[in-house]
Amino acid sequence: NEQYATTGVSVDNPNENKQVKKGYNTIEIPITLMGNDIKEDKQIKYLQIEKNTTLEEKVNKIVSVVSSECFSNLPIKVKIYGNNTAKVDLLEFNNDENNRVSWKEDYLNNSIREQTLRVLLENILQDEYNGQWIEKVQLYYEGELLSLD
């Protein structure tokens, strides 16, 4: 039932168990995508990541895919502190060409803010992952710590 695209991302049935699968030199990490409607079934894609990459590289690859699939490729910067805390900065485009979309206007407004934060947290925390992973996430927008109200 899984289909692999050339990007290393596969589409999967959202009703199947989203257990992290391990290959020979790669691991498959499930990415939960945001639907257009909150009631819509979540779509799961599997991301192939090299086993020997650092935790920071793995998390950056995850947020890169989440940004392109859910958030119009808006910039996200991740820094890992200690062995288990991710500081995630949601950044705006800094050139006029891409100002048609923004975190503030499109993804952090009152109607969608909670869903945006949940998608980011769920994908960064990876509850199903069995190895060493992130335990705490701090989300920032323009220096301000964001939280689910």
Side-chain angles (χ1 to χ4, degrees):
N1 193 355
E2 293 180 6
Q3 299 171 340
Y4 288 89
T6 55
T7 59
V9 176
S10 65
V11 179
D12 198 24
N13 180 343
N15 299 323
E16 289 181 12
N17 185 5
K18 60 174 193 168
Q19 181 66 284
V20 175
K21 301 173 186 174
K22 297 183 179 185
Y24 183 64
N25 286 320
T26 62
I27 53 174
E28 283 187 347
I29 296 187
I31 305 292
T32 303
L33 304 179
M34 188 163 64
N36 293 333
D37 181 2
I38 293 172
K39 296 179 183 89
E40 192 175 298
D41 281 342
K42 291 179 183 174
Q43 185 179 11
I44 306 291
K45 287 192 173 190
Y46 282 94
L47 180 61
Q48 299 277 345
I49 299 180
E50 293 289 322
K51 280 185 181 179
N52 61 357
T53 56
T54 67
L55 183 56
E56 189 166 280
E57 289 169 328
K58 288 177 179 115
V59 175
N60 270 300
K61 190 159 189 167
I62 289 168
V63 297
S64 174
V65 170
V66 170
S67 177
S68 72
E69 295 282 340
C70 302
F71 303 117
S72 305
N73 265 329
L74 280 161
I76 302 175
K77 181 178 159 194
V78 177
K79 183 76 180 143
I80 306 296
Y81 293 96
N83 289 326
N84 65 356
T85 302
K87 180 183 179 199
V88 180
D89 287 301
L90 307 180
L91 307 169
E92 297 291 2
F93 288 119
N94 55 9
N95 59 11
D96 293 335
E97 298 166 24
N98 294 312
N99 280 349
R100 285 173 273 150
V101 64
S102 80
W103 284 109
K104 184 177 182 177
E105 299 297 320
D106 298 302
Y107 300 108
L108 295 175
N109 63 51
N110 287 338
S111 64
I112 199 170
R113 181 179 190 273
E114 184 176 329
Q115 187 181 8
T116 295
L117 298 183
R118 287 189 191 284
V119 165
L120 288 166
L121 290 171
E122 183 176 335
N123 283 301
I124 294 168
L125 287 171
Q126 289 293 322
D127 291 335
E128 303 286 328
Y129 190 76
N130 294 326
Q132 180 187 350
W133 200 259
I134 300 299
E135 293 173 23
K136 299 177 201 148
V137 177
Q138 299 169 334
L139 289 172
Y140 288 87
Y141 172 72
E142 298 201 338
E144 179 186 335
L145 182 63
L146 303 172
S147 63
L148 288 168
D149 298 331

